[in-house]
Structures are given as structure tokens and as C-alpha cells.
Amino acid sequence: MMNILPHETDGKFDLLIDTGRGAWIPMSKTSFQQLLERFDAAHPKYTECTREQLVERWQAAETMQRTHAALVAGNPVQAREAA
């Protein structure tokens, strides 16, 4: 399961990503570094995935954002390359 949901923040496309700690956060409100720091600081009892799974989720979400941006721009070739 990817644990990534399309979302709209302030009228703009965004993705909600599972933090691995039982919460969801819009990608636009955090950075990859912040996500990892918070995950690493959490007690293992309160994490729901591995660090590697969290990295995979973030990378998949980045790909989804690039694909969406290319589709909105009306460039199907760029959308295929982003995916």
C-alpha cells in the first residue's frame, strides 16, 4: 500500500503522505529531511513502517507530483517521463 492520498491545499493539488507514525501530512507542509527526522525521533513502538518504506513512499509521492504537474501543463510526454 502506498499510503499517499491526493489532496487539495489552499486550492492547489497536494498529496497527503503517511508519516509512518500514525498521522498524515501534506507534502507541501514538510520536507523529506523533516519527515525522516521526526520518524527517527519516534519510539519504535509508535512507528507503523520501516525507514526504507517511508523513503519509498516519499519517492513515489514525488513521482506522482511530477506526473500531475506535467498533466496539468498539458504535456503527456513529460508526464510519461515523470512516471
Side-chain angles (χ1 to χ4, degrees):
M1 179 177 224
M2 293 306 295
N3 295 349
I4 302 166
L5 298 172
H7 179 68
E8 193 172 295
T9 301
D10 300 324
K12 296 182 181 176
F13 177 79
D14 203 354
L15 294 172
L16 289 177
I17 186 164
D18 183 355
T19 63
R21 299 173 293 118
W24 294 78
I25 189 167
M27 282 189 71
S28 64
K29 304 287 184 197
T30 193
S31 69
F32 181 55
Q33 186 64 33
Q34 289 172 328
L35 186 68
L36 290 178
E37 287 172 3
R38 291 178 184 151
F39 181 83
D40 291 341
H43 189 280
K45 178 180 177 181
Y46 300 108
T47 59
E48 300 174 338
C49 64
T50 65
R51 193 174 202 272
E52 291 77 23
Q53 289 171 320
L54 190 65
V55 170
E56 288 173 5
R57 291 175 189 171
W58 184 270
Q59 291 170 339
E62 286 180 324
T63 299
M64 290 172 73
Q65 281 186 326
R66 286 192 303 270
T67 302
H68 180 266
L71 289 172
V72 168
N75 190 337
V77 173
Q78 188 179 7
R80 282 192 298 274
E81 290 172 358

